[in-house]
């Protein structure tokens, strides 16, 4: 696969403790697949500056684009911006354009633009802001790392701001067939089919629910004719 | 925190492509928290032998216990067992006790115990089997790595088999308060409170839904009296 690559870093003790169930990774995965960017890895890490800095460094060097989610609000546990700045050895401070955006927002609301809120204008030097139409406080992009909020509505709005700036790849075409037989019966013929189509990815995803079991077979590839041909052979092997 | 540590590896292209939404990590996170084991990191990786082997090596060396999910079925894309064996430089082959378990199961069903199904009896040398009361095909534990199925019902049953064998820690006590004010208003007093209780973790998790916004403040720690005291002070700072 020669498509562009990406990785995601989900930051937050609340997810690793099981208090909150993350939805941002699944959302981003779907959006990237639509535009032919290959999400190769996702890491869920704690609210720990050293872990954030090390993970950002490592994934930024390994993949085309990196996305982070979480830890950019006004409270004491929001440490992502500083940790990302450290990953790039870059100073961080209150930035004028972000400051003005936030000041205007709180003025409109008649709310105090206090020290905590001003913290959200702290952006690493050299970063570009990511628009946040939901709650104004911006994300930012530094090098190939997009730093975004954890609240799903805000994360999703930021993803919508970022995706048009990325170069996608050939969209991965995919077809699937639901087969109500045990994977053990399907496996032999399926392996033979997979060997015949080395450019395709053929996955088998078993299910069992209410006593019914079987597998969804998913055929993915960039060549639509090949996907069609493999799917036709599969349907011939396992008629409904 | 001196509690035992753990990490999880979720294996599967179907999750990174957004086709399937993982639920195993959230489930495991909750179960580990209950018994005082600290889930420090979770990695979602592709169906790629080199990635699985490298990730198992790294996390096995870094954390007390590792859990993997996915890729131990009978089909050609089930490559986890071989990749884990490679991580420990251990041979892998069909193991007699696993073979007999599976043969008896398919005999009872009147189903053929074919080559694909026999593949599920391939276990790295030196591993212990993990019981699978749902669909029989066992997981296994090698060194500190527990290798389990991806299908949630099976994963959850295997977790139930494994947890009693682990040494837990002091359960993390947690209390939370829902505050209907912007995080920016809460942040200052909250930071002061957090500084007063260095042994506690105080997290702020903002929400916004149907025009109502605020934050859930979660106070966690192992000393119940401290958690109570911090929560009382918090409630005093932000009366309902």
């Amino acid at each position: 696969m020669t498509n562009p690559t990406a990785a995601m870093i989900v930051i937050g003790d609340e997810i690793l403790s099981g208090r909150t169930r993350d939805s941002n990774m699944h959302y981003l995965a779907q959006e990237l697949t639509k535009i032919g960017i290959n999400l190769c890895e996702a890491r869920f890490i704690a609210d720990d500056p050293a872990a954030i800095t090390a993970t950002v460094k490592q994934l930024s060097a390994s993949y085309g684009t990196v996305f982070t989610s979480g830890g950019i609000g006004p409270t004491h546990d929001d440490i992502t911006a500083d940790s990302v700045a450290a990953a790039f050895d870059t100073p961080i401070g209150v930035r004028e354009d972000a400051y003005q955006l936030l000041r205007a927002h709180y003025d409109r609301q008649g709310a105090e633009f206090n020290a905590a809120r001003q913290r959200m204008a702290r952006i690493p030097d050299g970063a570009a802001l990511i628009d946040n139409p939901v709650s104004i406080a911006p994300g930012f992009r530094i090098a190939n790392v997009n730093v975004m909020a954890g609240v799903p509505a805000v994360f999703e709005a930021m993803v919508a701001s970022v995706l048009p700036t990325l170069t996608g790849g050939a969209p991965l075409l995919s077809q699937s067939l639901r087969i109500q037989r045990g994977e053990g019966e399907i496996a032999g013929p399926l392996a033979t089919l997979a060997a015949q189509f080395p450019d395709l990815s053929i996955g088998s995803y078993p299910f069992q629910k209410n006593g019914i079991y079987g597998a969804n077979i998913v055929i993915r590839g960039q060549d639509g004719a090949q996907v069609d041909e493999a799917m036709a052979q599969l349907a011939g092997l396992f008629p409904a």
Side-chain angles (χ1 to χ4, degrees), chain A:
Chain A
M1 192 138 22
T2 55
N3 273 356
T5 61
M8 180 171 187
I9 306 171
V10 178
I11 298 161
D13 291 347
E14 75 278 20
I15 295 164
L16 289 169
S17 73
R19 190 188 160 274
T20 301
R21 185 177 172 192
D22 171 70
S23 67
N24 292 337
M25 189 220 131
H26 182 59
Y27 179 81
L28 182 67
Q30 292 180 311
E31 294 302 301
L32 291 177
T33 295
K34 283 182 200 161
I35 60 171
I37 293 179
N38 189 14
L39 180 62
C40 300
E41 186 173 348
R43 294 200 190 170
F44 289 60
I45 61 174
D47 292 323
D48 170 40
I52 299 170
T53 299
T55 306
V56 166
K57 267 189 187 175
Q58 195 186 338
L59 298 188
S60 165
S62 305
Y63 299 105
T65 305
V66 175
F67 301 84
T68 79
S69 149
I72 62 167
T75 56
H76 65 283
D77 56 339
D78 289 308
I79 54 173
T80 298
D82 287 86
S83 307
V84 172
F88 290 103
D89 262 325
T90 295
I92 177 169
V94 168
R95 190 163 123 163
E96 187 59 21
D97 53 356
Y99 185 92
Q100 294 304 339
L101 272 174
L102 286 160
R103 190 169 75 164
H105 171 63
Y106 289 109
D107 280 356
R108 278 191 304 273
Q109 294 197 327
E112 189 198 353
F113 188 37
N114 60 19
R117 287 172 170 149
Q118 289 171 29
R119 250 189 108 221
M120 294 191 286
R122 297 180 75 251
I123 305 285
D125 283 10
L129 300 187
I130 296 175
D131 191 34
N132 168 6
V134 175
S135 54
I136 308 306
F140 60 85
R141 177 183 180 104
I142 180 165
N144 62 344
V145 179
N146 298 279
V147 175
M148 307 193 287
V151 175
V154 182
F155 178 82
E156 292 170 16
M158 288 184 175
V159 168
S161 301
V162 168
L163 290 190
T165 70
L166 302 177
T167 303
L172 205 57
L173 305 170
S174 129
Q175 290 189 40
S176 68
L177 186 67
R178 181 183 163 93
I179 301 179
Q180 282 194 15
R181 304 200 198 176
E183 267 197 309
E185 284 179 49
I186 304 168
L190 198 66
T192 308
L193 186 70
Q196 264 177 267
F197 291 93
D199 294 341
L200 301 180
S201 145
I202 304 186
S204 172
Y205 307 115
F207 60 81
Q208 43 189 346
K209 207 169 186 177
N210 307 326
I212 295 171
Y213 65 97
N216 288 301
I217 308 302
V218 181
I219 302 183
R220 300 186 193 88
Q222 287 167 356
D223 178 337
Q226 271 199 37
V227 173
D228 286 346
E229 170 59 22
M231 185 50 73
Q233 290 197 26
L234 179 68
L237 287 168
F238 302 105

